[in-house]
Amino acid sequence: MGNALVCISTEGAREKSSKHEVNHPPLLASFKGRAGLLFSLSSSENKRKKKAGKFDGQLDEQALAAALLFNHHQGNNGNSLPFPRSKSVVYPSSGSKKDGFTRSSSSRQQSRSDSLLTRPGQLVNQDLETNRVVLVHGGGFGAWCWYKTISLLVKAGFKVDAVDLTGSGIHYSDTNAIRNLAEYVKPLSDIFYKLGEGEKVILVGHDFGGACISYVMELFPSKIAKAVFIAATMLSSGQSALDLISQQTGFSELVRQPRTFIYANGKHSPPTAIEIDKTLLRDSWFNQSSTKDVALASVSMRPIPFAPVVEKLFLSSNNYGSIPRFYIKTQGDCAMPAPLQESMINSNPPTQVFELKGSDHAPFFSKPQTLHRILVEISQVPSKHI
């Protein structure tokens, strides 16, 4: 794979030629096997729901997951997924308690009204500042975790990149060899180096991905239209993710339970990575997610590099502070409890806060359509109103 950027992209789809065949049969076989599993798990349930006339994108999502996993390995040469993008979004009407989310105020200006939330049959605003979204996974996750969000955003007319950070997902690097945050986020930084003049993105980070997007916000402020933190580490300047977690009474003990340290350089050296106890994923991270998604996570999650977690970020008001920030709180989160999220919001107030009810730490699994609606709403916030 060389030093190629490892990411899933929906931009610029075109047919692959025979010269792009995969050169790694064992890994390809594993992807084909996982694709078959995803297809078989979803077929019977989708038949039942389609008979009831309900909106159900699960089959499309599972099929997309299989395509993404296959194409992700096969297409790191710049080719993209060969499926069309629709220009509309279909889902239940917004504005009611059934949405599962509420909007709360922050110390900064309120930026939104209900009228801008996309409704059935309403085309996605074609005058958006940008329709390109970059999704950044959290610690231990990979681009694979966004498969439902990618599907929904693409159907709504967005261009989507979901990146595998160094040593994550199917990125080839050894997690234990990552020495700092710059190395960890290099695949993300590479996306911004390749952006055209005047091109901007909406940058979305989950979990420790919040620290990662903050790092990039400081480097590329002119290329980021908005930043979205989903149950994410939204740090203040001079703070590390470990600082944030250790300050929370009771939470540090919770963090230690599903994780163990890896000492690749010996017990007398600092830890090199954090291993996730996958037997505790259901209770700690995915308490509202489906069995299928928990199974996907259990076979896909990798250790978290330790050095980036302890690295302090230094963020300026001219760069990081110039970008509108939005925070999405996950109210049923056992891994990033609501008090910890509130603490970050109060210490570093964003433009606007959304509360996503009934979600665990992975709303892209447990509340994908509600999360999608929030992301669409954020994309439609006019810059002049921020």
Side-chain angles (χ1 to χ4, degrees), residues 65 106 167 198 221 263 384:
S106 72
Y263 295 86
K384 63 182 180 179

Side-chain angles (χ1 to χ4, degrees), residues 46-65:
N46 274 275
K47 289 179 181 178
R48 177 181 59 80
K49 290 185 177 181
K50 286 180 180 179
K51 289 181 180 180
K54 298 180 180 178
F55 171 83
D56 188 356
Q58 187 175 10
L59 181 57
D60 290 340
E61 293 164 359
Q62 301 287 11
L64 178 66

Side-chain angles (χ1 to χ4, degrees), residues 11-273:
E11 185 177 12
R14 61 179 181 271
E15 293 185 359
K16 298 183 185 296
S17 64
S18 59
K19 65 181 179 180
H20 293 142
E21 291 296 324
V22 175
N23 295 320
H24 304 284
L27 186 56
L28 174 60
S30 69
F31 280 131
K32 287 181 176 179
R34 190 180 299 181
L37 173 62
L38 289 171
F39 278 120
S40 63
L41 286 173
S42 62
S43 60
S44 60
E45 184 176 357
N46 274 275
K47 289 179 181 178
R48 177 181 59 80
K49 290 185 177 181
K50 286 180 180 179
K51 289 181 180 180
K54 298 180 180 178
F55 171 83
D56 188 356
Q58 187 175 10
L59 181 57
D60 290 340
E61 293 164 359
Q62 301 287 11
L64 178 66
L68 289 174
L69 288 167
F70 179 81
N71 192 74
H72 192 180
H73 176 64
Q74 191 174 30
N76 285 327
N77 49 24
N79 289 342
S80 302
L81 292 172
F83 49 77
R85 288 189 293 271
S86 171
K87 297 300 182 182
S88 63
V89 186
V90 180
Y91 44 68
S93 299
S94 63
S96 69
K97 294 181 180 179
K98 293 182 179 179
D99 280 342
F101 73 90
T102 58
R103 302 166 188 81
S104 63
S105 61
S106 72
S107 62
R108 296 176 64 179
Q109 180 181 356
Q110 282 283 323
S111 62
R112 207 65 206 120
S113 68
D114 287 345
S115 62
L116 291 177
L117 185 58
T118 310
R119 292 178 170 82
Q122 176 183 343
L123 296 180
V124 169
N125 187 348
Q126 297 304 303
D127 296 324
L128 299 177
E129 184 176 5
T130 179
N131 71 336
R132 183 167 182 177
V133 179
V134 177
L135 303 171
V136 182
H137 63 80
F141 290 86
W144 51 266
C145 74
W146 297 106
Y147 76 94
K148 295 180 183 180
T149 300
I150 293 170
S151 176
L152 292 168
L153 287 174
V154 168
K155 288 177 182 177
F158 289 89
K159 300 174 182 178
V160 185
D161 293 287
V163 65
D164 271 332
L165 299 176
T166 304
S168 304
I170 64 167
H171 191 278
Y172 55 88
S173 293
D174 179 5
T175 305
N176 293 290
I178 299 171
R179 298 169 295 180
N180 51 52
L181 193 54
E183 289 183 1
Y184 185 52
V185 303
K186 185 180 183 302
L188 176 60
S189 300
D190 287 346
I191 290 178
F192 286 91
Y193 283 122
K194 294 176 182 178
L195 287 178
E197 185 68 24
E199 189 175 1
K200 293 187 175 185
V201 306
I202 298 172
L203 187 57
V204 181
H206 168 252
D207 185 76
F208 184 58
C212 298
I213 69 171
S214 297
Y215 179 90
V216 172
M217 289 164 68
E218 183 65 24
L219 295 178
F220 306 99
S222 65
K223 297 184 177 182
I224 302 170
K226 301 177 181 76
V228 185
F229 294 75
I230 304 174
T233 49
M234 188 171 65
L235 307 178
S236 299
S237 185
Q239 194 175 40
S240 72
L242 187 63
D243 291 337
L244 178 72
I245 293 172
S246 63
Q247 291 172 3
Q248 302 303 310
T249 303
F251 184 62
S252 58
E253 179 61 28
L254 179 63
V255 169
R256 283 195 293 268
Q257 290 178 3
R259 300 171 174 88
T260 56
F261 291 118
I262 299 174
Y263 295 86
N265 298 325
K267 284 287 186 178
H268 297 293
S269 299
T272 53

Side-chain angles (χ1 to χ4, degrees), residues 138-141 257-262 273-281 284-286 297 301-304:
F141 290 86
Q257 290 178 3
R259 300 171 174 88
T260 56
F261 291 118
I262 299 174
I274 306 169
E275 183 73 49
I276 302 165
D277 185 347
K278 295 179 180 179
T279 65
L280 300 176
L281 288 179
S284 58
W285 288 14
F286 307 122
M301 295 187 77
R302 292 177 63 179
I304 305 166

